[in-house]
Amino acid sequence: MNSLPKSKSVLNTLNSVLATQPKLTALPPLSMYIHFPWCEKKCPYCDFNSHQIKDGKQGFDEERYIKALITDLETELPRIWGRQVHSIFIGGGTPSLLSAHGMNELLSAVRARVNLEPDCEITMEANPGSVETEKFAGFAKAGINRVSLGIQSFQDTQLKALGRIHNGEEAKRAIAIALQYFKSVNLDLMFGLPNQSLETARSDIETALSFKTPHLSFYNLTLEPNTYFASFPPKLPSENEIDAIFEQNLNLLEAAGYRRYEVSAYAKKDQECKHNLNYWRFGDYIGIGAGAHGKISFPDKITRQVRERHPESYMQAMETKGNALIEAREIPAKDLPFEFMLNTLRLTDGVDTATFSERTGLPLNVVSKGLDKASKKGLLDSDPNKLKATEQGLRYLNNLQELFL
């Protein structure tokens, strides 16, 4: 009596599973992320994979690390045959601690092994405290064409509270030098800093705007787990004060011709960061270096990789085993909608609804319940051809993204 319904049930379940397996008709753009894990001083708010260089640069062996990076890249090549890389981002840590010679060696090795697009955007993060004119000239000659400077603030008292190694004048000098040598310059600024007022926040933005860089990042300081600030929190402005700072500075940025194109990113016309746009549009990226993450798509699956976090463990693994992977997995189909929405809903313009299927290989109807809930809550734009957060959705982004878990 029960055999027929049970068989139908199993068949329906199987068909449902098969129907939601990723089937990509085209592969997304491909980027590369290179992680440099050292810095001169660990900032108290930083939860990135960065390790303070000890006295005498103990643990920091540039030649050894670059060799490990090149080997790491070579292990990835079979997974990306025939694909072009359209952007490279060298993050950290403080990649500007590399020598110009080391950067040239690294990028020359990349160009010899990977097909780069002719106008490939190559970004390097830099600390204003480690900026030297001759070094920046060398980085530009090596192929860096975009620099992201971790300014955070121009106020000496704020910089001291944030544990930064530079002061306000050094920040200004670093910007001036960067503008001499690089096609594009981004300034990272924070708000909601310890004891920050509307006036000091306004001064920071106005100083940044005076340099007319094509791109600005404007982040709210958050107390992340496993940081010094999480254990010993500083006195931060109230939520109302932080909102007032954000609204004030948003108006200043827009008046100066910067468009907010992502939750924390602002750019002049056609000056958006290509690399980060690829992340937010659920593109692919090779991730090499200590603690680096990668995402690579295939016609029938999407995969993720994670490397050893500690630089010494990473280098030893590359030298002894030929890879430093601690995780290599296929993303389950049930997790793809959330991963996609986690990224794309950060974009103020959102993405076309067709992008969901293009990048996940899944039909849009797998997220229909989440879309319906988000729309009813006023968090998602009503345009049926767009997946786009409303202003309220951007303000309560975590709540919006959670609807797709």
Side-chain angles (χ1 to χ4, degrees):
M1 291 287 291
N2 293 330
S3 60
L4 187 58
K6 190 178 289 185
S7 298
K8 281 186 176 179
S9 175
V10 170
L11 186 60
N12 288 340
T13 301
L14 180 60
N15 286 336
S16 177
V17 171
L18 289 173
T20 56
Q21 293 305 301
K23 294 182 180 66
L24 277 72
T25 55
L27 299 180
L30 177 67
S31 295
M32 181 186 301
Y33 176 76
I34 304 173
H35 191 72
F36 182 86
W38 289 282
C39 54
E40 290 188 47
K41 182 183 177 185
K42 182 79 172 178
C43 296
Y45 57 85
C46 178
D47 68 337
F48 294 128
N49 182 33
S50 60
H51 304 262
Q52 186 167 318
I53 293 176
K54 308 297 183 187
D55 293 340
K57 293 199 171 183
Q58 180 184 348
F60 173 37
D61 185 331
E62 176 175 291
E63 186 177 347
R64 184 182 173 209
Y65 191 69
I66 290 172
K67 186 176 180 181
L69 288 173
I70 295 168
T71 304
D72 198 355
L73 174 58
E74 288 174 344
T75 67
E76 283 293 285
L77 296 180
R79 289 159 43 84
I80 59 154
W81 285 131
R83 298 180 66 179
Q84 277 194 319
V85 168
H86 88 146
S87 67
I88 299 173
F89 195 100
I90 307 169
T94 308
S96 52
L97 289 174
L98 274 170
S99 68
H101 171 78
M103 184 66 74
N104 184 62
E105 182 183 353
L106 174 60
L107 292 179
S108 294
V110 169
R111 283 190 289 266
R113 290 161 176 80
V114 177
N115 182 14
L116 302 185
E117 288 187 3
D119 59 345
C120 183
E121 176 191 89
I122 306 178
T123 302
M124 177 190 71
E125 289 185 331
N127 188 319
S130 61
V131 169
E132 302 165 19
T133 303
E134 188 176 337
K135 210 177 189 185
F136 265 28
F139 289 149
K141 191 174 180 181
I144 300 294
N145 52 34
R146 184 176 184 274
V147 161
S148 181
L149 288 170
I151 302 296
Q152 316 314 357
S153 175
F154 293 96
Q155 315 288 326
D156 289 350
T157 53
Q158 299 288 10
L159 291 168
K160 187 175 181 180
L162 292 172
R164 304 296 288 170
I165 65 170
H166 66 277
N167 59 35
E169 287 306 311
E170 287 170 330
K172 295 172 187 175
R173 175 178 170 272
I175 299 169
I177 294 172
L179 286 169
Q180 288 180 49
Y181 291 103
F182 302 105
K183 178 182 175 183
S184 183
V185 176
N186 169 64
L187 307 182
D188 274 350
L189 293 174
M190 284 184 169
F191 68 99
L193 306 179
N195 301 306
Q196 188 177 41
S197 66
L198 268 173
E199 290 74 22
T200 56
R202 183 185 185 97
S203 175
D204 272 348
I205 283 291
E206 288 179 339
T207 303
L209 292 175
S210 70
F211 287 96
K212 297 180 170 59
T213 61
H215 195 285
L216 287 166
S217 299
F218 188 43
Y219 299 97
N220 185 9
L221 173 63
T222 53
L223 305 185
E224 301 291 349
N226 304 315
T227 63
Y228 181 86
F229 272 2
S231 301
F232 304 96
K235 179 176 171 50
L236 301 179
S238 68
E239 190 172 330
N240 286 340
E241 289 171 322
I242 290 173
D243 286 346
I245 289 170
F246 174 76
E247 291 298 331
Q248 167 193 261
N249 289 7
L250 176 61
N251 291 334
L252 290 169
L253 285 161
E254 289 179 345
Y258 291 83
R259 189 178 77 88
R260 186 189 189 196
Y261 70 97
E262 188 268 344
V263 168
S264 303
Y266 302 77
K268 293 289 186 73
K269 183 176 172 55
D270 299 325
Q271 294 297 315
E272 295 85 356
C273 176
K274 285 174 62 177
H275 187 86
N276 287 341
L277 274 176
N278 193 39
Y279 280 156
W280 296 321
R281 290 170 177 162
F282 209 53
D284 281 354
Y285 51 96
I286 306 163
I288 62 171
H293 291 232
K295 169 188 171 282
I296 303 293
S297 299
F298 299 89
D300 60 344
K301 63 184 177 181
I302 300 173
T303 63
R304 284 205 183 277
Q305 293 183 332
V306 184
R307 270 102 175 132
E308 288 276 2
R309 282 179 59 83
H310 196 279
E312 180 59 33
S313 301
Y314 168 79
M315 289 186 289
Q316 285 186 9
M318 293 308 307
E319 290 160 355
T320 59
K321 299 190 300 181
N323 79 72
L325 296 177
I326 57 172
E327 183 182 330
R329 64 184 179 88
E330 182 178 335
I331 305 174
K334 65 182 179 61
D335 294 340
L336 285 170
F338 175 68
E339 291 209 16
F340 178 88
M341 296 298 186
L342 191 67
N343 288 280
T344 56
L345 291 177
R346 294 179 62 92
L347 293 166
T348 58
D349 288 343
V351 295
D352 294 338
T353 51
T355 308
F356 178 84
S357 295
E358 289 170 5
R359 299 292 161 90
T360 65
L362 301 174
L364 188 64
N365 63 20
V366 301
V367 291
S368 57
K369 287 184 180 178
L371 295 176
D372 188 50
K373 285 182 183 178
S375 184
K376 286 178 179 176
K377 289 176 180 285
L379 303 177
L380 199 68
D381 193 279
S382 58
D383 185 345
N385 298 313
K386 281 278 187 181
L387 297 173
K388 175 184 173 183
T390 60
E391 283 192 25
Q392 186 178 358
L394 289 172
R395 184 179 177 85
Y396 299 102
L397 188 59
N398 288 345
N399 301 78
L400 172 57
Q401 291 163 334
E402 284 171 2
L403 293 174
F404 300 95
L405 268 173

